[in-house]
Amino acid sequence: MEHTELPHRHGNDRDLSRLEHCMQEAESFPVRRAKGQSVSWGFDDGYGEGRSYGGRRSHEGIDIMPVSDDRKQIPVQSVSDGVVEQLGWLELGGYRVGIRTKSGLYFYYAHLEEYAPGLQKGDRVQAGALLGYMGDTGYGPEGTRGKFPVHLHFGIYYDKDGEECTVNPYYLLQYLEKNKV
């Protein structure tokens, strides 16, 4: 489904080859259960919804919301094997990690409170590796917190003829939640 009403870099989220690559490479849900809780989060299909901070744009991922709004309570893990390609601050995404898979997919984890100890750009990670903890960072200069509830923004990017595009992660997250948690 193309989202043409807002500026976007969205591919076609019915692009079956991209979804198939995601399904083949993804082995873990991006969020671990919190200790002592059976369900620690929820998510809806907010892909493509409007956003206004930093200019009019569309949402390029899915927000996974924890049951509690406490920072550093919910561990975030890699959904796949790959290499840490990006690590650091982005104004929109706050503290974030980007993992590139061997097929070229890029899994994006944003708004983290902190990173896993010792995690560095260039590290090879396996599916299930701790990346950090959910937080509420972003929407300002480095260190900005509290502009929105604690959550994990999870995105999937791929290269299409030299342009970075997104695919809706909602369907992959549904699959992983049912089969890989």
Side-chain angles (χ1 to χ4, degrees), residues 15-143:
D15 181 343
L16 295 179
S17 67
R18 296 295 168 215
L19 290 174
E20 286 173 8
H21 278 294
C22 291
M23 299 288 270
Q24 290 170 1
E25 292 187 289
E27 298 178 30
S28 302
F29 193 79
V31 175
R32 293 182 186 168
R33 295 190 191 283
K35 292 180 182 176
Q37 294 184 350
S38 59
V39 176
S40 303
W41 61 79
F43 60 94
D44 293 317
D45 188 358
Y47 180 82
E49 291 180 350
R51 294 292 188 262
S52 60
Y53 181 86
R56 204 167 123 94
R57 59 190 170 80
S58 59
H59 194 223
E60 295 182 350
I62 298 297
D63 292 335
I64 302 171
M65 308 301 291
V67 172
S68 112
D69 200 35
D70 296 331
R71 296 180 186 113
K72 200 182 165 188
Q73 295 298 309
I74 308 290
V76 173
Q77 63 188 1
S78 182
V79 300
S80 69
D81 296 348
V83 175
V84 178
E85 187 171 284
Q86 294 294 336
L87 182 80
W89 183 264
L90 283 177
E91 184 177 349
L92 292 176
Y95 293 113
R96 57 65 161 102
V97 176
I99 306 292
R100 182 75 62 186
T101 70
K102 64 181 172 182
S103 75
L105 288 172
Y106 182 81
F107 291 110
Y108 176 74
Y109 309 80
H111 307 307
L112 301 178
E113 176 60 22
E114 73 177 43
Y115 301 119
L119 188 67
Q120 295 180 26
K121 196 172 176 179
D123 285 353
R124 291 195 176 283
V125 296
Q126 294 181 334
L130 179 67
L131 300 177
Y133 295 88
M134 266 193 207
D136 57 355
T137 62
Y139 284 22
E142 185 165 357

